[in-house]
Amino acid sequence: QVQLVESGGGSVQSGGSLSLSCRVFADIYSRYSMDMGWFRQVPGKEREGVASLGSDGTTTYADSVKGRFTISQDYAKNTLYLQMNMLKPEDTAMYYCAAGWSLTVKTVPSSVNYWGQGTQVTVSS
């Protein structure tokens, strides 16, 4: 069983920064074999991949966030992070932590194995 708990969302002005965290509760095999990622969703639109971090350390980013967002994780703290800099109003969304196998930003949301409950990020102009 895998449980993901996000924190760190909030409101910020355009150009500002926020850091999201995702605490991962999982058995040892899952923890070290799963790929991790962040997705986001706005009302009326499909959930989209933002960033992913494979179990081999490979990262992928959506074109819209490249150079501004950084995904990382601390295995000792069982926590996944998303550092978001130079935020734009179009980054406003509910952000979800995701975990699974063969997960990248191109993964169809229905194929993701585990989801967190989401944390809201709002960027004002």
Side-chain angles (χ1 to χ4, degrees):
Q1 185 70 12
V2 175
Q3 185 178 5
L4 307 173
V5 181
E6 301 102 330
S7 61
S11 298
V12 66
Q13 288 193 328
S14 181
S17 298
L18 279 175
S19 181
L20 305 182
S21 298
C22 173
R23 183 78 162 83
V24 182
F25 298 89
D27 60 274
I28 291 177
Y29 168 77
S30 296
R31 182 69 186 96
Y32 285 93
S33 66
M34 287 190 306
D35 304 319
M36 304 294 298
W38 291 94
F39 285 64
R40 66 186 181 188
Q41 188 171 24
V42 297
K45 292 190 175 182
E46 287 192 5
R47 195 169 293 189
E48 63 175 7
V50 175
S52 72
L53 177 56
S55 58
D56 62 354
T58 302
T59 57
T60 66
Y61 293 94
D63 288 342
S64 59
V65 306
K66 282 180 181 177
R68 300 189 298 121
F69 290 13
T70 302
I71 188 171
S72 63
Q73 69 178 326
D74 185 334
Y75 279 107
K77 295 182 178 180
N78 287 313
T79 303
L80 178 75
Y81 302 99
L82 184 67
Q83 178 64 40
M84 304 183 293
N85 299 327
M86 297 182 286
L87 282 161
K88 305 174 181 180
E90 50 264 44
D91 294 318
T92 296
M94 184 72 78
Y95 282 71
Y96 295 90
C97 180
W101 289 268
S102 300
L103 187 154
T104 72
V105 294
K106 300 295 186 183
T107 298
V108 176
S110 59
S111 297
V112 174
N113 297 89
Y114 304 101
W115 293 104
Q117 81 285 356
T119 185
Q120 178 68 36
V121 171
T122 302
V123 184
S124 58
S125 57

